[in-house]
């Protein structure tokens, strides 16, 4: 498989590879897996597990995927299960939704979620609402996936974050993985879910390796949708993020730790249904909240978290107003210096933490 | 002979025959009535009306010439004659009449404000949904746009459940959650409100048909207005590329809301708009034409030849919806002309009577039965309770453990349950 191939590149020479399943010579070891390979594994495993699952999108088959997420799958599963589409988002998204209504379990890839805007009617009006309108008679077990948000130097039309747009709509589930475990576990959970799931990946994370536990390497490993994960425990401030900014938060946390500030970093994992309880419990402990996201500030994920914290029990535990760190409120510019300053950076998170802690 | 008929004859005789003959007839009639009176109870109870002809007198079937279809990229088209059996004829008649009366009842209920929102009526187009349904199997699939009540009935949803859905009651076919534009049943995917969006969905259903390999087809319907939607052309392309068993059907009723076809389309040959996809133009007011064309199309698809386009030339008597009187963009004369010359139900009725497949009385009986069914359904639809408030949160997801849904403020919560 592709994962094994990538693995060989990552393991330093002279070190034994962990033995194959079933023949343990030493204690089970975690391995380094890139997000790309984790997604590839998830697709492979789910295609094998359920013959109703199929993948369609632009370049997913013979090109091995625009970002190589589906590498090797067409060769293994053929034309019936891995389908190259023409450049017709509205058309092929509608076709995927119709196939789901008729009992298949499609994975519909958008080359980037920017192109999903052309098909957004099919995602919302056909996929999200049909189960409700039909009083449960017509479920739509479909996954829409692809890279979301800012990349590097791709400018305004290719850099938008859709977490707030899709997170707004009842009937959808929206997930946003950060690590390889997130990616694999959430994709598997999404494919097995009987409802329409929007999976917002991140192009800049595809090549990043993460440690993957033995448990996560199992074919049955799923990450439950709707549950956040505490990536780092802390006592002074709660940092809540999703997708790539989770990494920035952890970086900020390790820098702040040297100054004696212990940050609790929460990886949301799911945008809808949002696990606000984990955030509330954390805020009750730390009394300070900073949300971090790549998308624009107005009506964003951070705005939703702040509103819910205000409405819930955690409000009484806040020692300072909740603070948001977001993308700059402009279409994404191209020049590197401009682009860099439109994305929340580690320094921006640190600044926000210090502001809210008044240090 | 019914009592009424006999008395009628006596009455007639009184004006033309001499008194003594009159008296004789009256006495004879009295005697017969007394003799018959013991049977009157039986007749009345069982509502038997002895027709002037015996059922054995009817023909079993008749063959009709039907209008040939215009063809696009096809060497041969559907047959130009159709055989109609007596049984089929009665079934088509009853179904079309039921749809007609159901739509007229909906018109009534809408004007009484018992039906709200959008209501797009199908009267005039009955031959389309009935002709299509009888040409395919229950295991085939159908998807259409918002003018869907006729298809909903044809696919098996009872009238009472359709009307109760229109009136927003819990006995509606989707518990009052959908309304006029969102009715569903097995192998019927609605009822879709966004113009043209159902067409890619239909091709997707066809993809599933091909994937599962059960030799099923999907009828994917849209109107002359929707025919100009870009996503339909994207769908034509993929359906042809992948040879999907999708029958694209354009119900051309000459008007997309208030815009005539000439004002909306550079090419009004909707059966040719599939370009590389073969097409048929069909007389959509003749249920036999529609049936034969649909059988032809279904056979084409099942043979694995890929998609096909059918244009059904039809007409709607009502405006686009109940908020459109339907006379600002067309004349009353035009509507009246179609009604008098091309009404699908009248066409079938005349054929059956003129070819001894049924009698006038028999068809009248069916009319009476249909009216009764519609009345009872309307009664149900106006008395059944609205769905309970708890239903508000249900069925957001499928096969999901119960969870809480936010209401208009943070303190109002609804529970969301779903099927498993």
């Amino acid at each position: 498989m592709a994962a094994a191939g990538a693995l060989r590149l990552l393991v330093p020479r002279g070190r034994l590879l962990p033995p194959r399943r079933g023949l343990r010579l030493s204690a089970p070891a975690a391995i380094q897996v890139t997000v790309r390979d984790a997604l590839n594994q998830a697709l492979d495993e789910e295609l094998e597990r359920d013959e109703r699952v199929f993948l369609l999108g632009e370049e997913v088959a013979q090109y091995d995927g625009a970002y190589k997420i589906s590498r090797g799958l067409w060769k293994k599963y053929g034309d019936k299960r891995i389908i190259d589409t023409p450049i017709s988002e509205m058309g092929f998204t509608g076709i995927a939704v119709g196939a789901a209504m008729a009992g298949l379990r499609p994975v519909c890839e958008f080359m980037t979620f920017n192109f999903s805007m052309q098909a957004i009617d099919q995602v919302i009006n056909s996929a999200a609402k049909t189960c409700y309108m039909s009083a449960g008679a017509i479920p739509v077990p479909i996954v829409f996936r692809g890279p979301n948000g800012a990349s590097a130097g791709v400018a305004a039309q290719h850099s938008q974050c859709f977490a707030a747009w899709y997170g707004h709509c009842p009937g959808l589930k929206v997930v946003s993985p950060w690590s390889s475990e997130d990616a694999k576990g959430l994709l598997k959970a999404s494919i097995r879910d009987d409802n329409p799931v929007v999976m917002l990946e991140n192009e800049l994370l595809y090549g990043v390796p993460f440690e993957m536990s033995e448990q996560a390497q199992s074919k049955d490993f799923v990450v439950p949708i709707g549950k956040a994960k505490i990536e780092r425990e802390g006592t002074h401030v709660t940092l809540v993020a999703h997708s790539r900014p989770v990494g920035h938060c952890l970086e900020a946390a390790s820098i702040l730790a040297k100054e004696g500030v212990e940050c609790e970093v929460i990886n949301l994992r799911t945008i809808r249904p949002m696990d606000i309880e984990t955030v509330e419990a954390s805020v009750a402990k730390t009394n300070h909240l900073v949300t971090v996201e790549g998308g624009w500030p107005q009506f964003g994920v951070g705005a939703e978290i702040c509103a819910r914290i205000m409405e819930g029990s955690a409000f009484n535990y806040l020692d300072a107003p909740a603070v948001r760190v977001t993308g700059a409120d402009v279409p994404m510019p191209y020049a590197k210096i401009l682009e860099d300053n439109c994305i929340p950076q580690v320094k921006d998170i640190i600044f926000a933490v210090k502001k809210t802690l008044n240090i | 002979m019914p009592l009424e008929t006999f008395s009628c004859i006596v009455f007639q005789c009184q004006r033309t025959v001499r008194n003594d003959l009159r008296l004789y007839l009256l006495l004879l009639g009295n005697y017969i009535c007394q003799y018959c009176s013991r049977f009157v109870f039986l007749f009345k109870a069982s509502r038997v009306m002895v027709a002037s002809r015996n059922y054995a007198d009817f023909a079993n079937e008749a063959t009709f010439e039907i209008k040939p279809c215009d063809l696009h990229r096809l060497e041969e088209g559907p047959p130009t004659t159709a055989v109609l059996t007596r049984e089929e004829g009665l079934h088509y008649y009853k179904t079309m009449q039921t749809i007609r009366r159901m739509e007229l009842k909906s018109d009534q209920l809408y004007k009484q404000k018992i039906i709200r929102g959008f209501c797009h009526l199908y009267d005039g187009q009955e031959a389309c949904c009935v002709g299509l349904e009888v040409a395919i199997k229950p295991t085939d699939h159908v998807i259409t746009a918002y003018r869907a009540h006729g298809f909903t009935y044809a696919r098996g949803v009872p009238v009472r459940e359709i009307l109760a859905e229109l009136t927003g009651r819990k006995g509606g076919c989707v518990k009052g959650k959908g309304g006029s534009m969102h009715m569903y049943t097995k192998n019927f995917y609605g009822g879709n409100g966004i113009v043209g969006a159902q067409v890619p969905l239909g091709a997707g259903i066809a993809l599933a048909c091909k994937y599962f390999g059960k030799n099923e087809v999907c009828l994917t319907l849209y109107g002359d207005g929707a025919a100009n939607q870009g996503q339909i052309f994207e769908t034509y392309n993929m359906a042809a590329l992948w040879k999907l068993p999708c029958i694209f059907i354009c119900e051309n009723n000459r008007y997309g809301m208030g815009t005539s076809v000439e004002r909306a389309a550079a090419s009004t040959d909707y059966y040719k708009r599939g370009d590389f996809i073969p097409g048929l133009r069909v007389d959509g007011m003749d249920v036999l034409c529609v049936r034969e064309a649909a059988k032809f199309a279904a056979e084409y698809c099942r043979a694995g030849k890929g998609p096909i386009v059918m244009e059904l030339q039809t007409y709607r008597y009502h405006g686009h919806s109940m908020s459109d009187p339907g006379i600002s963009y067309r004349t009353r004369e035009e509507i009246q002309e179609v009604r008098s010359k091309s009404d699908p139900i009248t066409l079938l009725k005349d054929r059956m009577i003129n070819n001894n497949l049924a009698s006038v009385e028999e068809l009248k009986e069916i009319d009476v039965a249909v009216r009764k069914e519609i009345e009872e359904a309307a009664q149900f639809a106006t008395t059944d309770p609205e769905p309970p408030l708890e239903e508000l949160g249900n069925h957001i997801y499928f096969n999901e453990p119960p969870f809480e849904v936010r209401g208009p403020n943070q303190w109002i919560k609804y529970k969301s349950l779903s099927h498993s």
Side-chain angles (χ1 to χ4, degrees):
Chain A
M1 273 195 314
L7 195 57
R8 267 178 209 109
L9 290 170
L10 289 168
V11 171
R13 294 193 193 285
R15 186 176 151 205
L16 279 172
L17 283 170
R20 292 213 181 270
R21 263 183 252 280
L23 203 66
R24 297 251 156 264
L25 297 177
S26 52
I31 51 173
Q32 293 281 312
V33 180
T34 60
V35 171
R36 172 179 290 114
D37 291 335
L39 291 168
N40 187 276
Q41 277 173 35
L43 284 170
D44 192 0
E45 287 169 12
E46 295 306 299
L47 283 159
E48 189 171 31
R49 178 180 176 268
D50 187 340
E51 57 182 25
R52 298 169 299 172
V53 176
F54 72 99
L55 174 67
L56 94 171
E58 294 156 10
E59 311 299 344
V60 296
Q62 297 189 21
Y63 196 81
D64 272 337
Y67 298 98
K68 306 301 178 208
I69 305 299
S70 52
R71 186 196 293 128
L73 296 179
W74 174 68
K75 220 168 172 183
K76 184 172 176 185
Y77 294 100
D79 286 327
K80 183 178 175 184
R81 314 284 301 281
I82 314 290
I83 304 176
D84 273 336
T85 65
I87 307 174
S88 310
E89 270 74 10
M90 204 167 181
F92 74 68
T93 306
I95 285 177
V97 175
M101 289 177 177
L104 290 175
R105 303 188 76 90
V107 177
C108 177
E109 177 172 308
F110 291 118
M111 198 179 281
T112 75
F113 265 95
N114 300 286
F115 314 141
S116 75
M117 266 204 284
Q118 299 191 301
I120 203 164
D121 175 67
Q122 296 289 1
V123 178
I124 307 301
N125 281 319
S126 302
K129 297 178 185 173
T130 295
C131 186
Y132 188 82
M133 291 192 296
S134 67
I138 313 240
V140 187
I142 188 169
V143 177
F144 302 100
R145 51 158 293 274
N148 173 63
S151 180
V154 293
Q157 292 178 342
H158 287 75
S159 305
Q160 187 168 332
C161 176
F162 287 85
W165 283 36
Y166 290 118
H168 188 57
C169 302
L172 284 182
K173 296 189 183 182
V174 181
V175 299
S176 183
W178 167 62
S179 66
S180 297
E181 262 193 38
D182 291 352
K184 183 175 179 193
L186 284 172
L187 183 52
K188 286 168 78 74
S190 302
I191 292 172
R192 295 183 192 193
D193 201 304
D194 289 333
N195 296 287
V197 183
V198 170
M199 175 143 148
L200 304 169
E201 299 159 9
N202 188 294
E203 199 247 309
L204 296 171
L205 287 175
Y206 282 155
V208 177
F210 289 85
E211 195 174 272
M212 222 165 168
S213 66
E214 170 73 17
Q215 186 206 11
Q217 293 165 49
S218 146
K219 275 189 183 173
D220 295 310
F221 173 74
V222 289
V223 164
I225 295 176
K227 201 82 191 78
K229 183 185 177 198
I230 300 177
E231 297 285 351
R232 182 190 195 280
E233 291 199 1
T235 47
H236 297 124
V237 62
T238 300
L239 298 178
V240 186
H242 71 97
S243 189
R244 191 157 172 263
V246 173
H248 296 325
C249 287
L250 288 169
E251 239 184 278
S254 58
I255 294 170
L256 284 163
K258 296 185 188 122
E259 296 179 44
V261 176
E262 292 299 326
C263 303
E264 180 144 292
V265 178
I266 298 179
N267 173 5
L268 268 182
R269 283 180 160 177
T270 302
I271 306 293
R272 177 186 265 267
M274 193 184 287
D275 179 6
I276 201 68
E277 288 79 21
T278 299
V279 180
E280 283 179 329
S282 176
V283 169
K285 188 172 69 168
T286 66
N287 312 122
H288 296 86
L289 175 62
V290 175
T291 71
V292 187
E293 69 199 283
W296 293 317
Q298 249 182 258
F299 311 102
V301 175
E304 177 66 16
I305 294 172
C306 290
R308 291 221 208 167
I309 291 296
M310 277 236 291
E311 289 177 345
S313 53
F315 174 73
N316 295 311
Y317 290 88
L318 280 174
D319 287 345
V323 159
R324 298 176 294 163
V325 178
T326 69
D329 201 12
V330 296
M332 186 66 74
Y334 167 68
K336 187 162 199 318
I337 186 173
L338 298 179
E339 185 183 58
D340 285 347
N341 283 281
C342 284
I343 297 168
Q345 300 180 49
V346 175
K347 65 169 173 67
D348 302 318
I349 302 171
I350 292 171
F351 187 90
V353 167
K354 288 185 172 174
K355 267 286 194 185
T356 199
L357 290 174
N358 208 16
I359 52 177
Chain B
M1 184 180 293
L3 235 50
E4 305 93 306
T5 317
F6 182 77
S7 339
C8 193
I9 291 171
V10 172
F11 178 71
Q12 293 285 7
C13 287
Q14 283 176 341
R15 282 188 262 157
T16 56
V17 175
R18 283 190 316 217
N19 280 348
D20 49 353
L21 187 50
R22 202 191 321 151
L23 189 62
Y24 171 76
L25 281 170
L26 274 169
L27 286 170
L28 180 63
N30 217 351
Y31 171 77
I32 291 170
C33 288
Q34 280 175 19
Y35 184 79
C36 290
S37 64
R38 66 195 85 162
F39 296 110
V40 167
F41 168 77
L42 215 72
F43 283 130
K44 278 188 180 158
S46 62
R47 289 191 125 257
V48 168
M49 199 163 114
V50 179
S52 57
R53 285 178 181 158
N54 210 324
Y55 286 121
D57 289 341
F58 291 122
N60 259 336
E61 60 178 51
T63 305
F64 299 97
E65 297 266 312
I66 54 176
K67 189 166 168 220
C69 296
D70 295 318
L71 304 177
H72 171 68
R73 289 191 191 270
L74 283 166
E75 290 301 314
E76 278 175 3
T80 49
T81 59
V83 174
L84 179 69
T85 69
R86 187 178 129 74
E87 201 182 310
E88 285 170 346
L90 291 171
H91 172 62
Y92 303 169
Y93 182 83
K94 182 164 193 214
T95 312
M96 289 200 287
Q97 191 69 287
T98 305
I99 294 168
R100 174 68 58 92
R101 298 244 59 94
M102 177 178 75
E103 296 296 78
L104 294 178
K105 176 57 71 178
S106 306
D107 170 282
Q108 222 177 57
L109 292 171
Y110 193 92
K111 284 170 178 159
Q112 293 174 279
K113 298 195 200 291
I114 301 172
I115 295 178
R116 305 160 48 240
F118 290 130
C119 192
H120 308 86
L121 298 177
Y122 199 71
D123 50 314
Q125 300 186 211
E126 296 86 355
C128 294
C129 71
V130 173
L132 290 169
E133 183 62 36
V134 300
I136 59 169
K137 304 176 196 160
T139 46
D140 289 320
H141 308 261
V142 177
I143 188 169
T144 186
Y146 46 76
R147 200 175 302 280
H149 307 160
F151 288 96
T152 312
Y153 178 71
R155 283 261 101 186
V157 178
V159 179
R160 69 206 306 257
E161 285 185 35
I162 296 175
L163 290 182
E165 186 59 37
L166 290 172
T167 56
R169 308 301 165 101
K170 70 177 189 10
C173 62
V174 286
K175 306 183 190 179
K177 298 295 270 291
S180 172
M181 299 185 288
H182 309 293
M183 301 193 195
Y184 306 83
T185 188
K186 187 159 197 327
N187 296 343
F188 178 59
Y189 304 81
N192 288 277
I194 308 296
V195 172
Q198 76 278 10
V199 177
L201 294 180
I205 296 163
L207 187 142
C209 290
K210 185 172 178 184
Y211 195 105
F212 286 126
K214 288 193 271 185
N215 208 22
E216 295 162 1
V217 298
C218 182
L219 304 190
T220 302
L221 292 118
Y222 52 99
D224 49 277
N228 300 311
Q229 271 268 312
Q231 57 188 318
I232 293 186
F233 295 90
E234 293 186 11
T235 309
Y236 285 156
N237 182 38
M238 285 182 273
L241 261 182
W242 301 333
K243 289 199 155 38
L244 301 180
C246 184
I247 304 176
F248 294 103
I249 303 171
C250 178
E251 283 182 294
N252 177 5
N253 61 17
R254 306 194 211 170
Y255 299 93
M257 203 155 147
T259 306
S260 68
V261 293
E262 296 79 32
R263 293 205 303 124
S267 162
T268 54
D269 292 331
Y270 296 102
Y271 71 112
K272 290 186 185 170
R273 298 284 286 278
D275 188 10
F276 35 78
I277 300 180
L280 295 167
R281 181 157 56 192
V282 183
D283 179 1
M285 304 305 268
D286 179 354
V287 68
L288 292 178
C289 260
V290 177
R291 183 188 79 182
E292 293 307 311
K295 275 189 184 165
F296 176 89
E299 215 175 280
Y300 182 93
C301 282
R302 283 191 232 276
K305 296 180 186 170
I308 191 168
V309 176
M310 270 171 64
E311 176 188 341
L312 304 179
Q313 294 187 302
T314 183
Y315 199 83
R316 52 166 163 81
Y317 295 142
H318 268 86
H320 162 72
S321 72
M322 284 306 297
S323 40
D324 169 27
I327 45 168
S328 62
Y329 48 86
R330 55 185 190 173
T331 60
R332 285 187 212 268
E333 288 74 40
E334 179 189 286
I335 305 170
Q336 201 34 52
E337 192 180 353
V338 176
R339 244 193 234 280
S340 56
K341 294 198 185 135
S342 319
D343 184 278
I345 299 176
T346 310
L347 232 61
L348 178 65
K349 180 178 174 182
D350 289 345
R351 271 186 171 147
M352 290 186 69
I353 289 172
N354 296 340
N355 289 272
N356 200 20
L357 290 173
S359 70
V360 174
E361 292 84 10
E362 194 177 8
L363 296 181
K364 276 212 177 87
E365 261 179 71
I366 293 176
D367 291 348
V368 168
V370 165
R371 265 180 218 264
K372 182 162 178 279
E373 186 186 349
I374 304 299
E375 273 313 312
E376 282 170 4
Q379 181 62 17
F380 173 71
T382 48
T383 53
D384 197 42
E386 286 188 293
L389 210 51
E390 294 77 60
E391 185 60 38
L392 191 154
N394 292 343
H395 304 297
I396 292 176
Y397 295 133
F398 184 78
N399 204 10
E400 184 84 359
F403 63 99
E404 257 182 5
V405 169
R406 186 192 168 105
N409 64 42
Q410 71 203 65
W411 298 281
I412 301 175
K413 299 230 194 287
Y414 291 95
K415 199 166 188 188
S416 184
L417 302 172
S418 67
H419 289 320
S420 52

